[in-house]
Amino acid sequence: MSLVNGLPAHVLLVHFVVVLVPLTSLALVVAALWPRAARRMGVVLPALALVTLASVPLTTSAGEWLEEHVPENSLVQRHAELGDGLLPWALGLFVLAAAVWWTVRRTPAPETGNRRAAVVRIAAAVLSVVVAAGAVVDVYRIGDSGAKAAWKGNYSKAATRSGDGD
């Protein structure tokens, strides 16, 4: 994918990633820490994670197209390098979302005192928090580098028009 309505697809698709990765991360952590919430989310949790996972390579592919159509510079290069690292985080979110969903469906409620189920839930919760935090931090770093690549030196620090609505 290269252009959408005359604009580079990457600048549009990136908004899906910027919203979906933190949203999926939050949903995953809530589900992993709160089995009742996971039961209520049901299959929506892994479905959301799957859409998030699919959006990452689509966005990076569009970004690679855009990279070939802008002047080469170190900021663009840094952004591209960081962007290439998001897919493993998105994959981790999906795998954990599916595991949390599956585990909650297959194990008894925590009130029953099942020790094995408790260990699995604790491990899933810890992994979910780590992967969710990593994914969100990575999206922030990628977005920050992309904003710098797009805007650094491309605007005036002083206002060029009056602010009175003229």
Side-chain angles (χ1 to χ4, degrees):
M1 185 175 293
S2 56
L3 297 173
V4 174
N5 201 25
L7 293 173
H10 180 72
V11 299
L12 299 172
L13 293 172
V14 72
H15 291 87
F16 288 107
V17 173
V18 167
V19 170
L20 289 175
V21 169
L23 180 63
T24 303
S25 296
L26 178 62
L28 173 61
V29 168
V30 168
L33 295 176
W34 190 16
R36 184 177 297 164
R39 284 186 186 87
R40 294 198 76 193
M41 281 187 235
V43 75
V44 171
L45 176 63
L48 175 64
L50 182 61
V51 170
T52 301
L53 176 61
S55 71
V56 171
L58 188 62
T59 302
T60 54
S61 176
E64 288 167 0
W65 179 90
L66 181 58
E67 182 181 13
E68 294 172 4
H69 291 83
V70 297
E72 188 173 330
N73 71 53
S74 62
L75 295 174
V76 170
Q77 197 69 18
R78 176 73 175 145
H79 176 63
E81 289 169 1
L82 288 172
D84 287 339
L86 185 58
L87 188 58
W89 290 110
L91 181 60
L93 289 173
F94 173 70
V95 168
L96 285 165
V100 166
W101 171 73
W102 184 260
T103 300
V104 166
R105 288 185 68 227
R106 297 293 177 198
T107 57
E111 297 83 27
T112 63
N114 185 329
R115 181 176 239 149
R116 181 175 171 261
V119 169
V120 169
R121 280 195 191 97
I122 291 168
V126 169
L127 285 171
S128 295
V129 169
V130 169
V131 170
V136 170
V137 168
D138 204 35
V139 164
Y140 171 80
R141 292 177 61 221
I142 295 164
D144 182 61
S145 70
K148 287 176 182 170
W151 292 101
K152 189 167 183 161
N154 291 326
Y155 68 96
S156 173
K157 291 183 181 178
T160 58
R161 292 185 270 168
S162 67
D164 60 10
D166 290 338

